[in-house]
C-alpha cells in the first residue's frame, strides 16, 4: 500500500509542480489568496474530496475531506498559500500548500483499506492574522487525531518548538502645540513612545533568555516644529511558553502606562495581530515522520535535531489542540534565509519541486502508518495527554 501511495503522488507530479509554480507566480497576501485557494480546492475536488469553502467565515479558507466511511483515525494536513508583501512567496508557501494536497491525495488511496479519513485544511494568512488561530478557536481541529505540515528551508530539521507571541500596540494621545513658540502648552505623545521603549529596554535585563521584545514606531509626528499629539508603537512579545508571554505582556503594558503618567498623555493598548501559541511537537509523531523521510532515501546525518524555535507560527495553536508536527525540508544547497528574494527564487526551482514531492510522500506515508497501527496512534495520544497535564 505504501508503494501505491507513492505511485499516486509520482503519477500526478507534473500537476503538483504546475500548481506550485502557478501559486508562486501569483502571490497573494493573507486573506486575499483567492487564486491560490481556488486551484487547491479545484484539485482536491477533482480527486474525490468533499470541500467546504469559507471555513470559519474566512473567505479563502477551506476544509477538504476524503472519508473512507470506515471507523479509523483522522489525519489532518495543513495547507498554507499566503505570500509576503514585496517579496512574494519568499517563505515557500507555494510549496507548503501544494505539498499538503499532494500528501492528502496520495493518502486517500489507502483509507479504503485502513479506514479513517484524511482532511486537508486551507489555512490563510499565516504570515499575519493566522487562519489557524481562528480555526483553532472555533474547535475545527478537535476532530483530528494528528496534524502535520512541512515547511521548506535550506536544510532538513526535525519538528521542534516555536515561540508564543502577542502583537501589542500602544497609542498615545497628547496635545499639539508650537514646539518653539509655546512648548509648555503641549503634551508630547512621541515622548511617551520613547519612554515606553526606554522602559522596555530596562525590562530586557530581567527577562528569561528565551524571550524577545522588539518593536517599531509607525507614527511619531508630522513636523519637527509641532509637538506631536499622536504617536504609536507596535511590539512583538515572544517567549517559549504562552504563560510567560502573558506575564511579559502585563509588564510591557506597565511600561507604557508609566510613560503615559510621566508625560501626561493618554494611552490605549490593543492587539494588532493575532496571538500565536508555542509549538508543542509530538515526539512520537515526529519520529514516525523522520523514519519515513529516511526510508525515502534521506541520509539520517542530514536530518538535524530539534531546534528551539526563534520565530512564531500559527501551527502552534494547532499543536495545543491536537498532536502536531512542523518539520522542515531542504529545498536548496545555499543557506538562504526565509523572507528573502533569494529564498523566493529557491522556492521556484526544480530542486524545491523535487523536495516538495518528497515531503508530500513522507507526510502521506506517516499518515498511513498511523491509520494502520493502533499502537503508534495510542502512543501519540498518550504523549499528547501527558504534555497537556505537564503544561496545564
Amino acid at each position: 500500500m505504501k508503494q501505491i501511495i507513492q505511485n499516486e503522488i509520482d503519477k500526478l507530479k507534473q500537476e503538483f509542480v504546475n500548481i506550485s509554480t502557478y501559486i508562486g507566480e501569483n502571490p497573494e497576501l493573507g486573506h486575499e489568496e483567492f487564486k491560490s485557494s481556488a486551484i487547491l480546492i479545484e484539485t482536491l475536488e477533482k480527486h474525490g474530496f468533499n470541500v467546504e469553502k469559507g471555513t470559519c467565515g474566512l473567505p479563502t479558507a477551506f476544509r477538504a475531506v476524503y472519508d473512507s466511511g470506515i471507523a479509523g483515525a483522522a489525519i489532518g494536513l495543513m495547507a498554507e498559500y499566503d505570500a509576503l508583501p514585496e517579496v512574494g512567496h519568499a517563505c515557500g508557501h507555494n510549496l507548503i500548500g501544494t505539498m499538503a494536497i499532494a500528501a492528502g491525495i496520495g493518502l486517500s488511496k489507502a483509507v479504503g483499506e485502513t479506514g479513517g479519513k484524511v482532511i486537508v485544511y486551507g489555512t490563510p494568512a499565516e504570515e499575519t492574522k493566522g487562519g489557524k488561530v481562528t480555526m483553532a478557536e472555533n474547535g475545527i481541529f478537535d476532530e483530528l487525531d494528528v496534524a502535520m505540515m512541512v515547511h521548506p528551508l535550506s536544510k532538513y530539521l526535525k519538528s521542534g518548538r516555536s515561540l508564543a507571541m502577542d502583537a501589542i500596540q500602544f497609542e498615545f494621545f497628547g496635545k499639539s502645540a508650537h514646539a518653539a513658540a509655546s512648548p509648555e502648552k503641549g503634551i508630547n505623545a512621541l515622548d511617551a513612545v520613547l519612554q515606553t521603549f526606554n522602559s522596555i529596554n530596562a525590562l530586557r535585563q530581567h527577562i528569561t533568555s528565551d524571550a524577545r521584545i522588539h518593536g517599531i514606531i509607525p507614527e511619531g509626528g508630522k513636523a519637527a516644529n509641532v509637538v506631536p499629539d499622536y504617536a504609536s508603537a507596535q511590539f512583538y512579545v515572544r517567549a517559549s511558553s504562552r504563560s510567560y508571554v502573558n506575564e511579559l505582556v502585563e509588564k510591557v503594558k506597565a511600561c507604557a502606562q508609566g510613560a503615559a503618567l510621566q508625560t501626561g498623555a493618554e494611552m490605549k493598548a490593543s492587539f494588532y495581530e493575532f496571538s500565536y501559541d508555542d509549538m508543542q511537537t509530538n515526539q512520537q509523531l515526529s519520529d514516525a515522520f523522520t523514519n519515513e523521510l529516511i526510508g525515502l532515501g534521506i541520509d539520517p546525518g542530514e536530518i538535524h535535531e530539534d531546534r528551539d524555535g526563534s520565530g512564531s507560527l500559527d501551527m502552534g495553536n494547532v499543536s495545543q489542540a491536537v498532536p502536531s508536527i512542523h518539520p522542515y525540508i531542504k529545498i536548496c544547497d545555499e543557506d538562504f534565509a526565509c523572507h528573502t528574494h533569494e529564498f523566493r527564487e529557491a522556492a521556484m526551482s526544480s530542486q524545491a519541486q523535487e523536495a516538495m514531492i518528497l515531503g508530500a510522500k513522507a507526510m502521506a506515508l506517516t499518515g498511513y502508518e498511523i491509520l494502520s497501527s493502533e499502537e503508534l496512534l495510542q502512543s501519540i495520544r498518550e504523549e499528547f495527554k501527558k504534555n497537556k497535564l505537564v503544561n496545564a
Side-chain angles (χ1 to χ4, degrees), residues 169-227:
Q169 174 174 272
F170 300 112
E171 295 177 279
F172 294 93
F173 303 89
K175 184 179 179 182
S176 181
H178 195 290
S182 52
E184 73 281 0
K185 295 180 181 179
I187 297 175
N188 195 316
L190 178 58
D191 279 348
V193 165
L194 297 177
Q195 289 298 335
T196 300
F197 271 87
N198 289 335
S199 295
I200 289 172
N201 285 338
L203 173 64
R204 285 195 181 97
Q205 183 181 353
H206 305 286
I207 64 178
T208 58
S209 59
D210 60 288
R212 302 286 186 273
I213 308 172
H214 41 100
I216 61 168
I217 303 174
E219 180 69 59
K222 301 298 184 184
N225 66 342
V226 178
V227 174

Side-chain angles (χ1 to χ4, degrees), residues 167-170 197 214-218 232-236 272-273:
I168 190 165
Q169 174 174 272
F170 300 112
F197 271 87
H214 41 100
I216 61 168
I217 303 174
S232 63
Q234 293 179 340
F235 295 91
Y236 282 161
Y272 66 97
E273 290 179 2

